[in-house]
Amino acid sequence: MVARVEASERDAFALRGTLVTPLADGGTLFAEDGLVVVGRDGAIRYAGPTRGARHRGPIEDLRPALLTPGFVDVHTHFPQTRIIGCATGPLLDWLEGSVFPEEARFTRAAYAREVASEFTARLIAAGTTTVALFSSSSPRATDIAVQALDEAGLRAVVGLTWMDQNCPKALRISTDDAIAASRRALARWHGRNGGRLRFAVTPRFAISCSRPMLEAAGALAREHELLVQTHVAENEREGVATLEVHPYASSYLDVYARAGLLGPRTVLAHAIHLGARDWRQLADTGTTIAHCPDSNFFLGSGRMRLAPPTRLGVPVGLGSDVAAGRSFSLRRAMASAYDNALALGAPASPEALLRLATLGGATVLGCAQETGSLEAGKDADLVVVPRPRPARTLDAALAGLVFDTDAIEVSASYVRGRRIR
Ligand SMILES: [Zn+2]
């Protein structure tokens, strides 16, 4: 009786369902009848089989639903929410024809506000609890996105998109203005809510940034120990154009290396057209990768190989890359990553893909201590995925999670133990 009172005072709630989570030390925990106990501080007290759990308080029984970590989307674009499906690729034509005109609309605060609420709603419905995103080059639109993410309760890394050349005038921002706006963002909201919201230095990609701008981005990131996010080696024509714009560099990656932009706090999206020496350089600098397979298919950009980063220990997370990616759902991104790996003749297991979409992403974004797996002591960032029948085995649970995605929405979602859906 005493234990019961202590437990119910200490524990905010407990969810019972089929538990599937990668573990920080390797492997995957599966419990057909699993329990996640969450404390009032929003941290996980227990995650494991219901049998043997010491929890005595009330339990919400959600079986046969799956309990799994909230997804970590390491690469997406907030101002592209409304242009999903615009098939005007490949990359450079798509930017010109679909992306830049849409991103230019975000100088209007009312428009940014409307889209920000769509964006957060779609992320949450898809089961994403942590997101790293590019805003537009409008500081105001970026603040609006941050406010929406904050109110929605999401964990987010947000970047004002820097670009000072090779894009429409309306989207250009000078290096000085980009730095000033970034410093204002740092002062206003970086680190807010115990680090739930973070600012990232975000030069769009090498073509649209001058060398001084890239160097300033590197310096600002170092000064404040900030995450850096940008794109690399997405498309072959882009690679050629990059070296025309930056003729001093020996490779696409070298443009970023010379600007001081490589390192363990840097996330490079795509990484398709890279050679052995590039991968070695990524490993040597600890630079991390956002794998965006659905986007790569949609724009015909090519296929990223998972073998080099796996062999060299380069951290990889999964990105939806909306709007080149056609879905906010990392479940769909996992399925695309599976197809991508299969097409390369190097299959990836659903178990490995779940790790990429959760703990792998958290590692890339530097928040694996807090999120990415359901383990005691971590924040309770988790989602409830409805299933029509019980999953008796890990394989069955993964089949439902990764491939059976007609019904894509999660039925509940929590960040730090707070229900956000
Ligand atoms: Zn992107």
Side-chain angles (χ1 to χ4, degrees):
M1 198 63 207
V2 172
R4 186 190 180 89
V5 172
E6 279 175 359
S8 62
E9 272 180 3
R10 194 180 63 230
D11 299 328
F13 64 92
L15 304 178
R16 186 175 184 181
T18 296
L19 179 62
V20 190
T21 177
L23 298 171
D25 291 340
T28 301
L29 172 65
F30 169 77
E32 184 189 344
D33 182 0
L35 194 69
V36 179
V37 182
V38 180
R40 287 211 173 121
D41 58 357
I44 297 169
R45 294 263 182 274
Y46 173 83
T50 299
R51 218 171 131 182
R54 289 168 60 190
H55 177 69
R56 297 274 193 281
I59 292 174
E60 190 180 346
D61 193 345
L62 299 162
R63 290 174 298 171
L66 305 176
L67 304 176
T68 195
F71 298 110
V72 180
D73 185 347
V74 299
H75 184 87
T76 194
H77 296 261
F78 145 63
Q80 296 175 18
T81 301
R82 288 190 175 174
I83 56 163
I84 288 181
C86 286
T88 57
L91 175 67
L92 299 181
D93 305 300
W94 176 74
L95 287 171
E96 203 72 42
S98 295
V99 174
F100 290 152
E102 177 66 8
E103 292 200 2
R105 297 195 173 98
F106 284 73
T107 47
R108 285 169 39 216
Y111 190 73
R113 231 170 263 127
E114 247 179 61
V115 178
S117 72
E118 279 176 35
F119 176 73
T120 52
R122 291 187 72 169
L123 284 171
I124 290 171
T128 294
T129 52
T130 299
V131 60
L133 65 102
F134 286 50
S135 178
S136 73
S137 54
S138 159
R140 185 136 180 246
T142 307
D143 282 349
I144 287 167
V146 168
Q147 194 183 344
L149 291 156
D150 193 16
E151 286 167 8
L154 286 158
R155 198 186 287 274
V157 177
V158 182
L160 169 77
T161 299
W162 295 21
M163 44 184 153
D164 66 347
Q165 63 182 23
N166 298 319
C167 65
K169 239 189 184 130
L171 288 175
R172 279 183 211 174
I173 182 166
S174 71
T175 299
D176 286 350
D177 288 349
I179 291 174
S182 297
R183 289 198 193 282
R184 280 198 299 277
L186 287 175
R188 214 176 294 146
W189 53 262
H190 174 64
R192 194 196 277 177
N193 294 337
R196 187 161 63 74
L197 296 163
R198 287 182 288 155
F199 180 81
V201 176
T202 307
R204 176 172 219 120
F205 70 153
I207 291 176
S208 68
C209 298
S210 65
R211 190 176 188 182
M213 174 170 259
L214 291 171
E215 286 169 349
L220 184 71
R222 274 193 304 282
E223 181 186 339
H224 295 279
E225 300 187 344
L226 300 170
L227 276 172
V228 172
Q229 50 179 355
T230 186
H231 302 85
V232 77
E234 178 172 359
N235 169 292
E236 275 180 330
R237 210 177 106 211
E238 171 214 18
V240 171
T242 295
L243 292 181
E244 283 166 11
V245 173
H246 299 280
Y248 55 88
S250 62
S251 68
Y252 194 151
L253 196 61
D254 188 46
V255 177
Y256 297 144
R258 284 169 187 259
L261 282 166
L262 301 185
R265 283 190 297 273
T266 293
V267 188
L268 300 179
H270 302 290
I272 297 169
H273 307 283
L274 294 178
R277 195 196 296 170
D278 297 318
W279 282 108
R280 174 93 316 219
Q281 190 172 15
L282 291 169
D284 289 346
T285 53
T287 304
T288 73
I289 297 299
H291 180 32
C292 307
D294 194 56
S295 161
N296 298 341
F297 280 126
F298 186 61
L299 294 183
S301 301
R303 300 196 188 102
M304 187 195 130
R305 291 177 303 139
L306 283 169
T310 305
R311 195 171 56 241
L312 294 164
V314 174
V316 178
L318 265 191
S320 65
D321 197 21
V322 163
R326 291 159 287 190
S327 171
F328 279 87
S329 172
L330 283 201
R331 293 171 66 196
R332 295 240 165 98
M334 285 191 279
S336 276
Y338 182 88
D339 295 349
N340 177 73
L342 211 54
L344 285 166
S349 71
E351 193 178 342
L353 295 171
L354 176 62
R355 178 171 287 266
L356 283 189
T358 54
L359 198 52
T363 302
V364 161
L365 298 182
C367 53
Q369 297 293 321
E370 294 98 58
T371 192
S373 60
L374 303 181
E375 298 182 83
K378 281 198 173 186
D379 289 349
D381 291 6
L382 66 109
V383 292
V384 179
V385 179
R387 294 300 303 150
R389 61 191 172 279
R392 306 273 183 223
T393 62
L394 173 60
D395 284 348
L398 289 168
L401 199 54
V402 179
F403 300 118
D404 189 359
T405 56
D406 277 355
I408 202 69
E409 297 194 349
V410 299
S411 51
S413 179
Y414 297 81
V415 173
R416 288 184 177 158
R418 182 187 154 210
R419 188 160 182 181
I420 62 169
R421 177 183 170 88

